[in-house]
Structure formats: structure tokens, C-alpha cells
Amino acid sequence: MTSTLNISDLTKTFTGVKALDAVSLTVAPGSRVALLGHNGAGKSTMMKIILGLLPFDAGTVTVCGAAPGSAEARRQVAYLPENAAFHPALTGEEQIGHYLALRGESPKTARALLERVGLHDAARRRIGTYSKGMRQRVGLAQALIGKPKLLVLDEPTSGLDPVSRRDFYALLDGLAAEGAAVLLSSHALTEVEARTDQIVILSNGRMAASGTLSELRRAAALPVTMHVTARNGYGSEIADALPGAIRVGADLHLSCGQDEKLDILACVTGLGDKVADIEMMPPSLEDIYSHFSRRDGQ
Amino acid sequence: MNRILATAKTEFRIALRNRWVAIAIGLMALFALVLSAAGSAPTGGLGVDRLSVTVASLTSLSVYLVPLIALLMSFDAVAGEVERGTLPLLLTYPGARAEILFGKLLAHLAVLSLAVVVGYGIAGAVAFWADPASAAGLPALLRLTWTSILLGATFLGAGYALSSLARRPSGAAGLAMGLWLGAVVLYDLGLLAAVVADGGGRFTTEFFPIALLANPADALRLFNLAASDAAAAAAGVAGAAGSVPLWQSALSVALWPALALALATAAFRRVTP
Ligand SMILES: Nc1ncnc2c1ncn2[C@@H]1O[C@H](COP(=O)(O)OP(=O)(O)O)[C@@H](O)[C@H]1O
Ligand SMILES: [Mg+2]
């Protein structure tokens, strides 16, 4: 019962569409969990249930030891909605000041918060003039108010440029180090990179996979690709030694299962200086992701 | 309490930037001036001071314009947040939904009160300038001012309820205009037609006063006319003012805001973002 967020067998149906089907998940203090899935996989639905914005049909959800959406839970949970929106007539500083007051904090610290997300220059401008990335930063700033125990961030890096994305993950590292639990969603594995402790892949409302990146890599058991470059003239000799290899110019391309990897490597080493170079390519993040995240009929 | 005040402050700021403060004050001031000027015909024969006569015509302004301004300010309160997509985030913050609504009410009521006080203040000043004996009408003007603010609260609450039910600004605007038309225009016309058709029968003596009390705008008219000496200057539906005890119309004026806000809170609680 020490985990910040506890979900078991969560099921939610929207008039015939099963948005979530018996999903279970726990998030411990200080850990960063990425929720991945295609559009319509059920990520936002799950987050709204955690926040108490949507009712659910079956299963149990405990947030900081309380019911989702209860006063107790709301005090400790911060949220960044999918498309963070604010009143266009307010300035960034006024909007954050308002949120600070709602959490019982001094509105005077708004400026410092905006500086933390790199938005100090525009703090006194109306949000109506902001770009999508700037609005996203305002959303991020409000999620940092009052040291939340759990941050629920729905596609937090959408609309951010690569440098800002890096800053964002650095910010998350700091929060997690202070003991906050983070649940964030994304539709691409490449976006969350290696900056999360656990990855959960949703597909059509079902949990397709869950684990660390290396666990997912092992579970997917996708073939490894090797490129062997032959020394002048030895091409066909090497091709005979490596059945299944395809010749591409001076190179030989072959793919093998994770378990055959070492045998093939030994075989290539046995060829001695007939081999000029060898390159091994593990399955890419995109490959692993699309292995788990398949829509019906794909 | 702090959350209510914070919401009120932000909403007032938004009302200021959206020009609602200027529009509300401008409208009230303009109509109050026009009505003061229109009532400038010699009143000598009636033996009534100038301000009392002005208050009688300002009562109509309260009945028509105050609900209209209140509905225009409030129809967007919930539906607008839904449309902008700001409601889900707001609802994850600590505090009850009623607190959000009360914060908005406080801000909108402040704008409305400002408009009523400025408008009726101008009308009062004009009356004093034309007739120094107007001091006699001062209690009537004050009475009209605070009952108008209560009527504004009633229609603000009704606007929030419609805004929560409609979920979409366009739908909420339609409902709000429908309510205004129904409650302050058609209601009276319908009653008038019924009274004429009834020809002084049971409807006129028994149901008509109750029907007037049941409508917050009519209750305001009833209360203000019955309480002042200017009843003679009024006509039509308000002719019944004398037959209804003052405490009954006062009770209706005071209870309606509470009822409308209870409805608004109940409707807002049912909104799923
Ligand atoms: N309010 C709703 N009414 C009906 N269906 C909905 C509603 N919200 C989401 N859905 C459906 O639930 C599924 C999951 O949606 P969502 O959680 O938004 O996906 P994601 O955030 O992963 O892209 C989709 O099929 C979507 O159409
Ligand atoms: Mg989504």
C-alpha cells in the first residue's frame, strides 16, 4: 500500500466502445511511468479516471490512499491535460497566480514558477498571444504548484521542440528524485526515450506490455540485424559460411533471433581477416513499439 | 473562502477585459438617463416628488434590463469553460464545485451592482437637480437598487444553471434568451390576456397574485410599487400591487436568488467534463 497510484482491473465502456479493458497498474513514489499507445488507445480516458473526472465501470482505483477525485486526492495530484487551454484574456502570470491561490499558495510566486519552465519573458503577455508550446509550458508550470505527490501528464511533450523536451525530462528527473510519482502519456516510444522507469503500452484499451525498456526489448524478441563487410574478393566465401545472408554490394545483410546472435558472431569471428567490418543493429524503439501496439486488422 | 475570492478576482478581471463592466454600466446609465428625461413632464397635479415618479419608470428598467444583463454575463460561465477546454483542469483543483460558482457569482454580481448603482445614481442626481423635493423619493430609490441587485443574482443563477445544462455556449445563449423572453415578456402578456378573458372572476382574485409572486421580475415590481407612493403612476399588471401584502413580495424577492443558486449548483454538479 506504499504506491502512490494503484489501479486494478480497471474497465470503462463508452456506449459500446471498450476504452479500457481490465487494466492494472501501480506507480511507486519517485518513479516515472510512461503510458504509450496509438490515438484512441485509452490513455486520456485512464488519466481522467485517475483524476476523478470520469466515472468507471469496474475495478478499483486508489490515488494517494484515497478515492479518485476526492478532496484528499485532489490536494496531492497535479494534472496537465492533453491540450492545455487557458483563458485567452489573462496573462500567464495572472493565470498561474489564480491556480496558486486555488491551492492555497501565494500568487506572488507565479513569476518564479514561469521562470522554471522558461516562460519569464512572456509572463505579462496575454495567453491569447501564446504559441502551443508556450501554452504547454503554462500547463506544466501549474502542474508544479505545491509539490504534488502524483503528476498526471497527458502528452506533455507534444508541441515542444527537442531542446525544450530535454529540459522537460530534466525537470521530471528532479521531481522524481524528490519523491513525486509521475505518470505521463505519449504516442511514440522514441519520445519518452530512456527517461522513464517503466513503460506501459496500451492497445485498444488492453494492456499490451509493461516493463522497463530492456524488459520490453527481451519480451518482443525481435530479430537483430547484422551488416558484414567482406574484404576484397572474399564476398562469396563469406556468403557460403552465412546461410540466409543477402548480398548488398560488398556487404552482407542478415537478421537473426536474439538466441542465435552469439553463434553467428562466433562464426563470423572464425572467418578471420576475410571480414573487414561487422555492425550489429538491435531492434529500434519504433520496431519494439509497433510490435506491441497493433490495432485490429494490422 | 480564499478560493471563492480568488475566483471572483480572476472573473472580475476577465469581465473588465471583455468590456462587460463597461457595457453593463453604459447600458444602465444610458437607459436611466433616457427614462429620467422622459419623465420630465410636469408632475404638479399628482402631488408627488420628481424622484418617486422616476423610480416608477426605473422599475421597468430593472424588470427588463437587469435580467438581460445578468443572463448575458452568465450564460457562458460553464459552457464557455467546457468549450475552451479549461473545465477539466479546473475541476482537478481542490475545492467544491459550488465554490467555483460562488466565485463567479461574486464577480458578476459586483459588475451588475456597479451598473445599477451608477445608473440609478445618475437618475437620482437628475431628479434632485430638477426638483429639490426629491428627498422624499430617496427610500424608494434605495429599495429599487437592492431589490434589483437581488433580481440580478436570481438571473445570474438561472444563467449558470442553463450554462451547465447546455454545455455549449451557443445552446446556452439560446436558452438564456428564451428564459428572458419567457420570464419577463411573455409571462406578463399571458397573465394579462388571462385576466382580460377572466373578466374579474376567480382567476383574477385568487391565482393572479400568486402567479405574480411566482415570477421574480413581477415580484420585484410588486414589492417596489406597493412599498412606494407611486403606485398611482403604474398601470397594467402592476395594478394588483395593492392587493398583495408587502411581506409576500419581499419574501419572493429574497427567496428567488437562493433558489436559482441551488438550481445552478445542482446543474453544475452534474456536468461531466
Ligand atoms: N466522452 C467520450 N464518449 C465516447 N467515447 C469516448 C469518449 N472519450 C473517449 N472515447 C473513446 O474512447 C477511446 C479512448 O480514447 P482516449 O482515451 O481519448 O484515447 P487516447 O488518449 O489514448 O488517444 C476512443 O475510442 C475514443 O473514441
Ligand atoms: Mg489522448
Side-chain angles (χ1 to χ4, degrees), chain A residues 14-15 17-19 37-46 48 54 82 154-155 202:
Chain A
F14 286 114
T15 55
V17 183
K18 258 213 166 134
H38 55 79
N39 291 324
K43 307 179 294 290
S44 300
T45 303
M46 184 165 166
K48 284 183 180 166
L54 279 180
E82 191 165 3
D154 202 347
E155 302 198 7
L202 281 181

Side-chain angles (χ1 to χ4, degrees), chain A residues 74 85 89 94 98 126 142, chain B residues 10 17 84 86 89 93-95:
Chain A
R74 275 187 285 160
E94 288 163 352
H98 179 58
R126 293 194 188 180
Q142 64 80 31
Chain B
T10 300
R17 302 229 169 116
R84 276 195 303 278
T86 48
L89 180 59
Y93 271 78

